[in-house]
Structure formats: structure tokens, C-alpha cells
Amino acid sequence: MEKYILRFNEIDKSFLPYVGGKGANLGELTKADFPVPQGFCVTTAAYQAVIRTSKEMNKLFDLLEGVSHNDLDQINILGTRIREHIDSLLMPEDIKLNILEAWRVTGEEKAYAVRSSATAEDLPTVSFAGQQDTYLNVLGQEQLLKAVQNCWASLFTDRAISYRAKNGFKHRLVLLSVVVQQMVFPEVAGIMFTSDPITGHRKTITIDASFGLGEALVSGLVSADLYQVRSGQIIKKQISSKQVAIYSVPAGGTVTTDLPLDQQTRQALQDDLILELASMGQAIEAHYGAEQDIEWCWVEGKFYIVQSRPITSLYPVPRTSDHKLHLFLSFGHMQMMTEAMKPMGLSVLRTLVPVGKSSLQAESELMQEAGGRLFFDITNLLEYPVLRKRLPSLLGNVDELFGRAVQEFCERTEFKTAAQNGKRLSLAAVKRVSPTVLAVLRNILYRHNERALADLNRFIANSVQESSNRLQTVSGPARINLIQEMLPTLLSTALARVAPYIGAGIGTYRLIESYSKKWLGDAAELGNISKSPPGNVTTEMGLVLGDLADAVREHPAVIEYLQHATDATFWEDLRAVPGGEAVLPIFSGFFARYGMRGTGEIDVTRPRWRETPNQLLPTILNHLKGLKPGQHRLDFLKGQKEAELAAAKLLHRLRQTPWGQLKAKIMQRLIKVHRSVIGIREHPKYLIVQTLDLIKLALLQEAYQLVVTGILTVPEEIFWLSLPEIKELLVNQQLDRTIIARRKENFLHYAKLTPPRAITSEGEIITAKPGAQVPPGALAGSPVSAGTVEGRARVILRLEDADMEKGDILVAPYTDPAWTPLFSMAAGLITEVGGMMTHGSVIAREYGIPAVVGIEKATELIKDGTYIRVNGTEGYVELLDQILE
């Protein structure tokens, strides 16, 4: 016979399928001797028995599974229907008798809190908090049985249905237990987080407290006092005006009461009790081994814990090997790819980094994974005073908010204390960087850089061919060894070869801006100086894609086909379409040259264009819709002309000033160097992406062999393993499949998280505001491409969903090289991440479109179709009233 009742002292965390998350936690706390009011759980077996009495529920479940989480009207209709149906069901007599017997043993004269406890609730990765109903001060058997039945029905509140649908939980698989717990009538109650839920600081305990029942606080009726405790000391007290409180009433239920004026601003919990409660919170966290969200009460001189659940909103902390305070910066923000990555992608990038390694083949310890993303530990760099001074401004070129976050961290007392005895750069370190610095200066001052592009292109072609040949000469574990050796050499070689030119390109841009302002009082021509420079491989890719679109333009049947093409049969179906044979060589040529690219291309587990051609088709169709034949080439030539005119105008203005001929000569040299080398900025990534693609193909070849031997079910399963694990698998030919299942589950959770730019080893997320001074209501960011433009915002989260017209303003989380073809249609650019020298910023300047980057949550704050103004000179975006469809 199924057990319908379990008392708290019979329950621990293993009972979650029978008593739900809330019930399991209360049982766990009770068994661990924490002060929990007595009670019992009506198990999920009782809920299932009730549902089995219905002839309609299977049909209703089927209807629910077809409803989208954002179809609120349909959810309301179905939810109301199901709740009314469950309320109408007769509770089986044996369940009723079991509930009443447990109630009498616990104390029939007592008042009870009756709470819903779902099996998909209070879990480590998702809370479901507040999705089902709670009933307070329940008195007598009639109220109790009614409250239990109402809790069963509340599994189908509108908010619960939507939440489950959004988080991928099957409605019929989520079961409900009901927690029946003796009420305590607190003088003070509230919530305690054993880590700061706002900043993520793991050593800061945050307590909210208010008079009466905690429901006033949870429901938002009152602003609670806020206390924070760190290392046994109260570090913050924020006393709020608590105008109301919720109290129980003798007949059952609760009442909201206005507090007397003298009580409203009184500190709800005294200092000694704050510290006592914080200590209890630490003990509960230690018991669970994870940060906790705890509901507590203060009753007649004693604390009671009425609930504890994991804090699901905290971003995971990167690993450290010591107890020092570390600062980590998001690698994804640096590389314009902030999505979660699978283990193989993470492993390849950690191996690529040539520093912080115990051996050439090892993964870098300076790059740590957290939440499926990589974070770079810059703590050691900050221990050098000279780097501490320069690093914020250098990082500002990558992302202004990086620089500001690092500056804020360095100014903190705890960091200054730790870094008191700063390190000095060794002579060897200075010698290592000196050749690059000198090469940058030579490139700026006197070198002829005209051959640099041709030399680099030849170097990249030869390097890629050599890597391809080497990877095909070995197989098995030896091939993994080769990959582990190639990766760090690849990055160091690429940077050493290109850094003198990139440094010269950035340096000359800054010098042109600085000298213009110093000698003329403005930098009016700067916005056009960088337009359409030669040699940028991603710009060239965009032009070639435009040529492809123009070729397609002549064949209506091909255009129609591209609107519904599928990846699996793309090439065969294209050949069969009228005009397909004519454009096939052009398509093949483009994919032969650029097929290794794709969105998020630094992650080798992400699909490339050659694997999923559909990624590119919206861009081609947008080009056909928004541009005239050949316009992309004409626009590029127009940019070159505008750059020449801007340079001529700048030089003319300088000649009119004192010592004008000398100033003009200096500026002429800077402009010449800048335009000859700034296009090289994309070359290192171009080399790396081509090599990563070869490595991906080699790893998939190994995976195919593992499929043949039955170890893997599909080749892509190799993506869930790191390089050392793949090597071990090839040696031992054995795989623990539970590892893959667990990593897939983690990945789904990580994909929902928003990674921080900067996070400390204590879990604190350091946020900084952009430096731009903005008009009221405007969104502040970093100005990266000068000019002002108004137009329709086109919010695009994924390149394959792009739908743009000429003159739209592109609003995106980030842009990497795969997004370049959209720039030919965009009138302006807004991204959530980026800095002066990141991809989108450089390309925006080349195309001469105003751009503002680093606006957090831009894709949420700016609605698609909104008419907006982008000020790329000052660094802000204004949302205008008109909405355009």
C-alpha cells in the first residue's frame, strides 16, 4: 500500500519524489536538529491517487503539453478549467483519514500553514518558488482538508503552468505533495540568504526582516529592514519604514494591519540576534554544502526555520587553488561570444592559451570554467604596480566596462592590502615584450607597410596547409597529442606575427584623435578616416557574400528555394532548382573559402557555415531585399573616397595652423600607416578559426571510429569530453555514459545563465557603469564609431534569424565576424558587449556607421521596431516615441 503521510522526522533529501522540494528540505532540516516547527507531508502518492479518480485529466494534460509558455490566454483558460476540475474531485476516504490522523497526532488544536511542495521545486538549478499556493493559520479539519485540495489544484495556477513550460518540465511528470506545518506566530520574520543574492558575494549573509508573518515581505507589501553580515561583523544596516504587518486571526486566516508610527521605523531585529541568525545560516549552508535561501521566524525568544532552499540565481565561481582574493574577466565578452560552451570547446580554448600551464599540452590554469564559460584570472597581473596602472585603459579597448571594473577592484581596501608589496617586472619579461614594442614604433615611424597584408596572407595560407598535413599524418591518441601541442603554438605564433601591425593600427588611431584635438580642438574627420581600409578579411568576406547574393538575384527559383532550404539536403536540392546549376559554383566557391566560419566560431563545437548553410541564408535574402545590384561594392568604394576626402580635409586644416606643414606631415604619416595596417586586426582570428576547423574535423574523424566500435552513439557525443578525456577514451576504449548525461543536463542549466563581465573568487559580480554622460532616459554605453543616426531598431539575437532592411539599426548581444554581412544594410550598431577595438566597433568604423557598445541588456531594453537615435560620438542611445513595424 502506498504511504500517503510522512512526518518530517521520517524525511530526508532522498524523499524528494514523495514529498517535493519543500517537504524534502524541511525533513532534512528536522533530521539535522535545526529548529523547525513540527509537521508532516501529504505525499505525492495521495495526489496521484486523487488524479486517478478523474476521467478527464489525461486529456487535459495532453492539451497542456501543446501550450507555449507565453500563450497566456490559453494558459488562463486551461488552468482555470483544471483547477475547478480538481476542486470538484472527491478526496478518497483513506487519504482523508490518513491526513486527519496525522493532524491529530501533531496537535488538532494548533493552527497550521499548508503549503504546496512540487517535485520540481526548490531544486539546485531551478526554484519554482511561489508558483503554487500557500494557506496560513488553517484551523480545524474542514479548513485543513480544503487547503490540501486547493494546494493540489494550485499545481495548475497560470504562473506554474507557464513556468514549467518555459523550463522544459512535462506537466504530467511534475507531482505535488502538501506540507502541513504547525504555525508559529512570530514577532519578527523574514528571509536570509547565505550569500548576497544581488552581487553574488559568497561571504556576505543578507537578512531581510519585518514585523509579523513573513508573508508581508514575500508578497511585497512591506519594505523590510536589510542587514548584511560578513566575517561575524554587521557591515550594513538599512532600516526601512515598515508600514504594515500580517498577523493571524483567531478564526483562521490572516489580516493585514497598519503598524503604529513608533514601530514603523524601529529596527526589527537587534544586533545580537542578527549575528545569531547569521551563524545559524552558516550552519545550514554547511549542512547542505550550498548557498541557501532561508525563511525564518523569531518567536518568544527563539529562532525557527520554516524553509531552506538552494539559491538558484547565483553564478558559479571560477576555481582557485589558494585562498587569495582573485579577479576573473569573462573570456566570452572579450571574444564576443557569451553563450555556454560544451566541454570540448572549453578544453580546446584552455589548451590554446600558452600561459599558466604546467606543460605545453596542459590546459591553462589562468583560464577557468564557470557556468559553461571561461574566465581569465588577471590577479597575478594586478600584483605589478605598472600593469595595475595601465591595464584598465588597455582593457577599455576591448570593453569599457572591463576597464572600469578592474579599476574599481584595484581601489578596494582588501585588494590594496593584499597587493601592498607589489611585484616588479623582471628584466626577462621586459626583454620578451621589447621587440614587439620596438616593432610597433618602427611601423608607425618609418617602415613601409604596404607588403604587410600580402606577407600575412601568404603566411596564413602556408600555416593552414601545414596544419592540415600534420593532422592527417597521425591518428588515435597521437593525433590528440599533436592537437594539444599545436594549439598553444598557434596562438603565440599568430600574435607574435601580427601584434606589431595591430599595435600600430590602434596606436595611430589614438594618435590621430589626440593630435587632432590638440592642434585643431576637435577630431571631426576621425569618423571617416577608418572607412573601407584594404585587407580586412571579414570585410572582404562580406563583399564576396554580396557578390553571391547578386548572382542569386538573377534566378527567382533559387531565391524562392533559399526561403525554405534545409541543411541536410541543401546542395542536392539547390542543384535541382532552375538556375541552381548556374549559381552552384559561386556557392561552392564561397563555402570553400569561408565555410569554416560561423556564429560563435571560437567554440569548436558550434556548427560552421558548411555544416549548416541555413545560418547564412537570411543574410543573403536580406541583401536581396535591402540592396541594389552591386551596391555593396559601390558603398565600399564610396567609403574609400570619403576616407581620402577626410584625410585631405584634415591635412588642409592643419596646414592653416602654426607649424602647419610639420603637423600635416606627421598626420599624413599616421593616416597612411593606420589605413595600411588596421585591416590586419582580423587576421589572427582568421588563422585561428581556420586551424580550429581543421582540429574539429580531426576530432570528428576520431569520433566516427568510436561510433563504429559502438563506444559513441553519434560522433557529436565527443563534444561532451575534454581533450585529455578524449585521449584517455581512445586509449582505454571505455566510456562512462553517465558523465555525458550529467554534462548535458548542466549545459541546459548553464545556457540560461547570464555570465558576468567580472567576478571575484568570492563570487561577487563587479558591475561598472559606462562613463558617458547621457540625457535623461537615454541608455549609456561606449562610443566606438562617431556620428548620430535615427532609425528603426532591429533586435537580432541570432544571425540565422536576421531580418533587416537598408537603414535599420542593428541591436545585438554581440557581433563576431559572421555578422559582418549585415553591416552593409545597417545604419547604426548597438551591442551589449564590446569596446573600441572589438570586431563590431572596427567594422562599424570601416562602414562609417554610428555605433554604441557595452549597453547591458540592450536587446531587452530596446524593443524590436522602436524608433531610436544612436549617438556614436557621445556614447548613448535615445528611445524615441514612435514604434515602426
Side-chain angles (χ1 to χ4, degrees):
M1 178 181 172
E2 293 180 294
K3 200 163 186 179
Y4 295 138
I5 299 295
L6 286 170
R7 301 189 62 79
F8 287 173
N9 58 12
E10 300 177 89
I11 297 168
D12 59 30
K13 60 186 177 183
S14 68
F15 280 72
L16 188 144
Y18 312 106
V19 297
K22 191 177 276 107
N25 282 331
L26 286 170
E28 186 76 18
L29 289 166
T30 300
K31 280 198 166 185
D33 290 327
F34 290 105
V36 177
Q38 293 182 56
F40 60 90
C41 291
V42 183
T43 68
T44 55
Y47 162 80
Q48 290 175 296
V50 171
I51 294 300
R52 281 196 296 269
T53 67
S54 167
K55 296 179 180 179
E56 291 186 44
M57 278 307 295
N58 273 332
K59 177 184 175 183
L60 292 170
F61 276 129
D62 290 340
L63 291 172
L64 272 184
E65 296 301 345
V67 175
S68 169
H69 73 90
N70 55 13
D71 189 352
L72 302 185
D73 290 339
Q74 188 62 20
I75 285 174
N76 178 259
I77 293 169
L78 274 174
T80 302
R81 180 178 168 186
I82 295 172
R83 292 193 300 274
E84 290 175 350
H85 176 65
I86 292 176
D87 279 336
S88 72
L89 297 174
L90 291 176
M91 186 183 296
E93 198 63 28
D94 55 343
I95 294 176
K96 186 185 300 183
L97 291 173
N98 273 261
I99 293 172
L100 293 178
E101 181 185 351
W103 166 67
R104 292 188 183 100
V105 171
T106 310
E108 57 186 295
E109 77 288 355
K110 302 285 188 181
Y112 287 87
V114 181
R115 304 176 188 271
S116 307
S117 178
T119 52
E121 186 174 2
D122 294 349
L123 304 178
T125 58
V126 63
S127 75
F128 277 74
Q131 301 308 311
Q132 288 79 225
D133 289 345
T134 289
Y135 300 90
L136 301 177
N137 201 25
V138 173
L139 294 167
Q141 69 178 42
E142 186 177 331
Q143 285 189 13
L144 174 63
L145 293 174
K146 181 60 177 170
V148 169
Q149 189 128 0
N150 287 345
C151 282
W152 287 331
S154 77
L155 186 59
F156 301 96
T157 61
D158 294 2
R159 61 186 181 272
I161 293 170
S162 177
Y163 198 89
R164 285 196 297 274
K166 185 176 181 180
N167 286 277
F169 286 82
K170 297 290 185 184
H171 298 285
R172 56 169 32 96
L173 299 182
V174 176
L175 307 178
L176 193 89
S177 167
V178 179
V179 173
V180 181
Q181 186 175 27
Q182 280 187 10
M183 279 285 292
V184 291
F185 301 101
E187 302 154 43
V188 185
I191 300 169
M192 169 170 53
F193 297 94
T194 60
S195 290
D196 187 336
I198 305 301
T199 68
H201 198 293
R202 298 306 200 268
K203 295 183 179 180
T204 299
I205 297 171
T206 299
I207 299 170
D208 289 338
S210 189
F211 296 111
L213 295 169
E215 300 307 308
L217 188 158
V218 173
S219 61
L221 288 176
V222 66
S223 296
D225 287 356
L226 170 66
Y227 319 125
Q228 288 190 326
V229 178
R230 190 184 298 168
S231 303
Q233 301 290 322
I234 299 173
I235 61 170
K236 182 177 182 179
K237 282 196 295 186
Q238 185 174 300
I239 312 303
S240 298
S241 176
K242 300 166 284 293
Q243 297 179 1
V244 298
I246 295 179
Y247 294 106
S248 60
V249 294
T254 61
V255 63
T256 302
T257 305
D258 291 333
L259 290 172
L261 285 174
D262 64 335
Q263 192 177 358
Q264 289 182 11
T265 55
R266 189 194 313 162
Q267 183 173 322
L269 205 59
Q270 298 309 304
D271 288 5
D272 59 331
L273 298 180
I274 293 171
L275 295 175
E276 180 184 339
L277 180 60
S279 178
M280 188 179 294
Q282 287 178 312
I284 294 171
E285 180 184 295
H287 173 76
Y288 280 102
E291 298 79 12
Q292 296 292 298
D293 167 0
I294 300 165
E295 296 176 28
W296 58 270
C297 298
W298 172 251
V299 185
E300 298 178 352
K302 182 178 179 180
F303 281 113
Y304 286 92
I305 302 301
V306 294
Q307 189 51 253
S308 184
R309 62 179 69 87
I311 305 176
T312 60
S313 59
L314 296 174
Y315 196 86
V317 182
R319 185 180 63 84
T320 57
S321 57
D322 56 40
H323 298 292
K324 283 195 316 185
L325 180 63
H326 290 249
L327 179 62
F328 294 89
L329 298 182
S330 165
F331 180 74
H333 283 79
M334 297 178 188
Q335 288 298 317
M336 306 297 106
M337 209 294 284
T338 56
E339 283 94 343
M341 290 188 278
K342 297 182 180 74
M344 192 175 90
L346 296 167
S347 180
V348 165
L349 289 174
R350 290 189 67 203
T351 309
L352 178 72
V353 174
V355 292
K357 309 172 74 137
S358 57
S359 68
L360 183 67
Q361 294 183 337
E363 296 178 356
S364 174
E365 290 298 314
L366 295 180
M367 291 273 281
Q368 291 295 330
E369 181 273 339
R373 281 86 171 177
L374 288 174
F375 292 84
F376 194 78
D377 188 348
I378 67 165
T379 310
N380 288 340
L381 296 178
L382 296 179
E383 292 176 354
Y384 294 90
V386 64
L387 296 180
R388 198 155 62 233
K389 183 178 179 181
R390 302 291 182 193
L391 203 55
S393 60
L394 290 173
L395 286 169
N397 288 312
V398 177
D399 186 302
E400 180 189 355
L401 299 186
F402 270 153
R404 290 180 173 272
V406 171
Q407 187 66 49
E408 181 190 323
F409 179 81
C410 291
E411 291 171 358
R412 294 186 173 188
T413 303
E414 59 265 41
F415 174 75
K416 286 182 176 178
T417 302
Q420 237 172 13
N421 300 316
K423 297 179 180 178
R424 305 184 72 172
L425 289 175
S426 67
L427 183 59
V430 173
K431 285 182 176 179
R432 279 197 296 272
V433 300
S434 292
T436 301
V437 173
L438 291 173
V440 169
L441 292 174
R442 285 194 291 268
N443 285 338
I444 293 174
L445 293 174
Y446 61 84
R447 253 189 193 154
H448 296 290
N449 299 300
E450 291 80 4
R451 292 178 53 83
L453 278 167
D455 290 344
L456 277 172
N457 288 334
R458 188 163 47 251
F459 165 74
I460 288 174
N462 292 339
S463 296
V464 171
Q465 186 60 55
E466 181 185 349
S467 296
S468 177
N469 294 340
R470 292 178 68 194
L471 285 167
Q472 295 309 312
T473 59
V474 290
S475 62
R479 179 139 57 174
I480 309 303
N481 280 331
L482 176 60
I483 289 169
Q484 290 174 310
E485 291 170 1
M486 284 174 58
L487 283 167
T489 307
L490 169 68
L491 183 60
S492 56
T493 301
L495 290 179
R497 188 75 182 238
V498 175
Y501 299 110
I502 295 178
I506 297 172
T508 49
Y509 184 85
R510 294 296 192 188
L511 287 170
I512 292 167
E513 179 181 31
S514 175
Y515 286 152
S516 294
K517 289 178 178 178
K518 180 180 178 181
W519 293 336
L520 297 171
D522 63 62
E525 292 79 22
L526 185 66
N528 286 336
I529 291 291
S530 292
K531 283 186 177 180
S532 302
N536 187 313
V537 287
T538 56
T539 303
E540 290 175 351
M541 179 182 70
L543 293 172
V544 175
L545 187 64
D547 296 341
L548 171 59
D550 279 351
V552 168
R553 196 187 298 271
E554 304 300 321
H555 304 281
V558 174
I559 296 173
E560 200 278 330
Y561 162 72
L562 295 181
Q563 293 171 359
H564 60 264
T566 58
D567 290 327
T569 58
F570 179 81
W571 298 102
E572 298 87 339
D573 293 348
L574 176 60
R575 183 176 284 108
V577 173
E581 288 285 359
V583 298
L584 192 62
I586 305 171
F587 267 96
S588 299
F590 180 86
F591 279 93
R593 187 173 176 186
Y594 299 113
M596 77 295 177
R597 308 219 76 153
T599 55
E601 59 194 6
I602 61 166
D603 177 2
V604 294
T605 69
R606 295 279 289 264
R608 275 28 187 175
W609 284 341
R610 70 158 191 282
E611 298 167 311
T612 54
N614 267 328
Q615 283 189 65
L616 264 183
L617 302 189
T619 306
I620 296 172
L621 295 170
N622 284 330
H623 185 103
L624 293 172
K625 180 174 62 175
L627 296 177
K628 298 176 182 177
Q631 186 178 343
H632 59 293
R633 292 283 179 183
L634 294 174
D635 286 346
F636 184 80
L637 293 174
K638 180 183 175 185
Q640 287 182 328
K641 187 66 176 176
E642 288 172 350
E644 292 170 5
L645 292 173
K649 183 178 178 182
L650 176 57
L651 296 176
H652 175 74
R653 290 177 66 197
L654 285 172
R655 291 189 185 102
Q656 311 310 308
T657 64
W659 298 89
Q661 292 298 328
L662 178 59
K663 292 174 183 175
K665 189 172 183 180
I666 293 171
M667 187 64 75
Q668 188 173 26
R669 172 65 188 180
L670 293 175
I671 294 171
K672 181 180 180 182
V673 172
H674 177 72
R675 288 193 58 78
S676 65
V677 301
I678 194 60
I680 291 172
R681 179 207 169 279
E682 299 286 338
H683 277 63
K685 193 168 189 177
Y686 188 55
L687 168 59
I688 289 169
V689 167
Q690 289 184 81
T691 310
L692 289 181
D693 187 50
L694 295 173
I695 287 170
K696 177 179 183 175
L697 291 171
L699 290 168
L700 283 173
Q701 286 177 353
E702 300 297 334
Y704 281 117
Q705 293 303 311
L706 292 168
V707 171
V708 170
T709 56
I711 294 170
L712 298 180
T713 56
V714 292
E716 288 74 19
E717 279 189 328
I718 204 170
F719 294 165
W720 301 104
L721 303 173
S722 69
L723 290 177
E725 289 169 339
I726 295 169
K727 183 159 57 176
E728 184 179 352
L729 177 60
L730 292 170
V731 171
N732 298 328
Q733 298 289 299
Q734 290 183 339
L735 174 65
D736 181 356
R737 299 201 61 81
T738 61
I739 293 175
I740 291 179
R742 185 173 67 250
R743 289 178 181 177
K744 286 182 178 181
E745 183 179 343
N746 288 340
F747 181 79
L748 291 175
H749 171 57
Y750 294 153
K752 299 172 186 175
L753 300 179
T754 301
R757 276 179 170 81
I759 185 171
T760 72
S761 52
E762 294 177 340
E764 181 183 7
I765 294 171
I766 299 180
T767 55
K769 294 182 178 179
Q773 299 298 312
V774 306
L779 306 177
S782 301
V784 295
S785 184
T788 301
V789 66
E790 294 182 11
R792 179 180 64 171
R794 188 50 83 206
V795 179
I796 299 175
L797 302 180
R798 303 188 312 156
L799 181 61
E800 51 266 42
D801 297 330
D803 181 12
M804 284 187 66
E805 295 179 7
K806 183 71 172 176
D808 284 346
I809 295 171
L810 173 59
V811 184
Y814 61 82
T815 62
D816 63 10
W819 293 66
T820 301
L822 293 183
F823 282 69
S824 60
M825 286 172 285
L829 172 70
I830 300 165
T831 62
E832 295 177 338
V833 299
M836 180 61 72
M837 296 312 299
T838 48
H839 167 267
S841 307
V842 173
I843 301 299
R845 291 195 294 273
E846 289 187 10
Y847 279 82
I849 61 175
V852 179
V853 301
I855 299 180
E856 294 205 43
K857 298 185 177 179
T859 57
E860 298 175 30
L861 297 172
I862 302 171
K863 303 303 180 186
D864 189 55
T866 306
Y867 195 69
I868 61 175
R869 180 184 298 125
V870 179
N871 189 320
T873 304
E874 300 296 329
Y876 61 84
V877 175
E878 294 175 280
L879 308 181
L880 307 178
D881 293 336
Q882 188 178 0
I883 303 293
L884 302 177
E885 293 302 331

